[in-house]
Amino acid sequence: GLSTRMAASASGSKGNEFWSVPEGQGSGVGPPGSSSGGETSAVTFSTVDEALSAPEARMFQHRALLALFIANACDATEVLSFGYVLSTYQSGSDGSELSSAQEQLLTAAVYSGMLVGGLGSGVLSDWVGRRPCLLAALCLNLVAAVLSALAPNTLSLIAFRMLAGVGVGASVPSVFTMSAELFPSVVRGEWMTVVASAWMFGSIFTAAVAWVLLGVSGASWRGFALACA
């Protein structure tokens, strides 16, 4: 991807030269020698921000903005949906209410997982890359959310919620680090605000789904949890 080539080129640059892009080629973003056409004239970037501001990078950045917005909204849905689940969840086959200790454990499970995921993801993403770490975290969110909806008892539900928290905690640092690394300084603050606002979008989406499924349709908490997965 563009960000990988930028980082590799920046770490291996000499003097003030960053890397060159064949002039007039919209898809020719890459380090010297990676020409995709026959043109030899080139534009040289002296800083990372110049490369990020290049027209050739704009399409990639728009796609990255959309992807990071969706990722942050998914994290919000995963965290906030369980508040609605607790309002209808019943423990055991007899339909008994949750005890105070069970409620506290279910509430704390996702945040405990987020602490673990957040602490570990920074080092991991520096080692394997932001994008693979983010994709793995989102996949973990999906798997844990589905398993939570299928949990046979309260103990397994607590475990699956903690697993979901690990995924959320691992994805949030990657989302905002990538926002800072991929967007040019002239729009970085504005676009990072857009990414951050996705949390509110996810909150509204979760409330709307809860109103339709739990309120209007009278669906079970399992159906709601699957819909939010």
Side-chain angles (χ1 to χ4, degrees):
L2 175 62
S3 59
T4 304
R5 294 196 294 270
M6 286 179 175
S9 301
S11 62
S13 60
K14 296 180 179 179
N16 292 326
E17 185 178 73
F18 180 55
W19 46 262
S20 301
V21 175
E23 190 171 13
Q25 295 182 15
S27 60
V29 181
S34 63
S35 175
S36 58
E39 299 182 33
T40 58
S41 59
V43 177
T44 299
F45 301 120
S46 60
T47 65
V48 172
D49 196 59
E50 282 187 17
L52 292 174
S53 302
E56 293 86 353
R58 193 55 50 85
M59 181 69 71
F60 166 81
Q61 289 163 345
H62 287 163
R63 294 198 304 266
L65 176 64
L66 177 61
L68 295 173
F69 182 93
I70 294 174
N72 199 30
C74 290
D75 287 340
T77 299
E78 182 62 33
V79 172
L80 300 173
S81 63
F82 211 71
Y84 298 98
V85 169
L86 284 176
S87 66
T88 58
Y89 179 78
Q90 293 178 325
S91 174
S93 58
D94 59 351
S96 59
E97 296 293 330
L98 287 170
S99 67
S100 176
Q102 287 175 322
E103 285 188 4
Q104 291 171 6
L105 284 173
L106 282 169
T107 302
V110 66
Y111 295 106
S112 301
M114 287 176 66
L115 176 62
V116 174
L119 290 175
S121 66
V123 175
L124 183 62
S125 62
D126 284 340
W127 182 42
V128 302
R130 313 273 188 240
R131 183 175 179 272
C133 188
L134 177 59
L135 291 176
L138 292 174
C139 288
L140 180 60
N141 285 351
L142 174 61
V143 171
V146 173
L147 290 176
S148 296
L150 302 176
N153 52 56
T154 303
L155 184 61
S156 61
L157 181 59
I158 292 172
F160 293 145
R161 291 306 299 162
M162 181 171 289
L163 188 62
V166 173
V168 173
S171 65
V172 169
S174 294
V175 165
F176 288 99
T177 302
M178 290 178 71
S179 299
E181 291 177 344
L182 298 180
F183 303 149
S185 59
V186 67
V187 295
R188 185 173 298 143
E190 178 183 347
W191 286 16
M192 288 186 69
T193 300
V194 172
V195 173
S197 70
W199 191 273
M200 281 64 77
F201 181 86
S203 303
I204 296 171
F205 170 81
T206 306
V209 174
W211 177 71
V212 172
L213 294 183
L214 300 179
V216 177
S217 301
S220 69
W221 70 268
R222 296 182 187 275
F224 170 72
L226 282 173
C228 291

